[in-house]
Amino acid sequence: MKIYVTSVFVDDQEHALRFYTDKLGFVKKHDIPLGPARWLTLVSPEDPEGTELLLEPSTHPAVRPYKTALVHDGIPAASFAVDDVRAEYDRLRGLGVRFTQEPTEMGTVTTAVLDDTCGNLIQIVHTA
């Protein structure tokens, strides 16, 4: 068994698409209209057949309190692996991305947490 699709709830799919592609570097895999929303998935350009990230609309009534609680408590909605957290932090800051946690080393793991501008905190991580 392996993970096929995982999702993050986003307030605006088009805005999220621009942020996740233009800033984070993902590429669009599927964009299928489904009434007022879309089945909109992204993949890493390094692994185009790998796990897809679904930009899921935040329309269900339970989503708003869930997202608010996670952000309030500083809990990331998703975690993405990078080769060098400090370099990615610097690159993203240069693109105007706001971080809620600067690169932090915790033994063999380094993390940083960013605001995806879509109502989520996202962690970037590297393990040695």
Side-chain angles (χ1 to χ4, degrees):
M1 187 177 305
K2 64 181 183 175
I3 298 170
Y4 168 60
V5 175
T6 191
S7 62
V8 293
F9 290 107
V10 298
D11 301 331
D12 178 313
Q13 284 184 301
E14 191 58 37
H15 175 80
L17 176 63
R18 287 191 305 274
F19 181 84
Y20 279 79
T21 57
D22 296 348
K23 306 281 186 181
L24 299 187
F26 291 102
V27 295
K28 185 168 42 174
K29 174 92 178 207
H30 296 288
D31 189 351
I32 302 166
L34 297 172
R38 298 143 64 183
W39 179 262
L40 182 57
T41 67
L42 310 174
V43 292
S44 168
E46 298 169 14
D47 190 10
E49 299 306 315
T51 303
E52 296 177 39
L53 177 66
L54 173 63
L55 301 178
E56 180 95 32
S58 294
T59 54
H60 189 281
V63 172
R64 176 80 42 218
Y66 168 74
K67 285 173 56 172
T68 299
L70 288 180
V71 170
H72 179 266
D73 291 344
I75 299 171
S79 184
F80 304 137
V82 297
D83 291 332
D84 183 330
V85 171
R86 173 59 69 181
E88 193 64 13
Y89 170 85
D90 291 341
R91 181 187 78 79
L92 291 170
R93 292 262 322 210
L95 293 172
V97 174
R98 186 179 76 80
F99 279 79
T100 62
Q101 177 199 308
E102 294 184 3
T104 304
E105 292 183 21
M106 297 171 276
T108 60
V109 177
T110 303
T111 66
V113 178
L114 62 95
D115 177 346
D116 78 349
T117 72
C118 304
N120 302 293
L121 299 178
I122 302 294
Q123 181 178 68
I124 57 174
V125 63
H126 174 78
T127 57

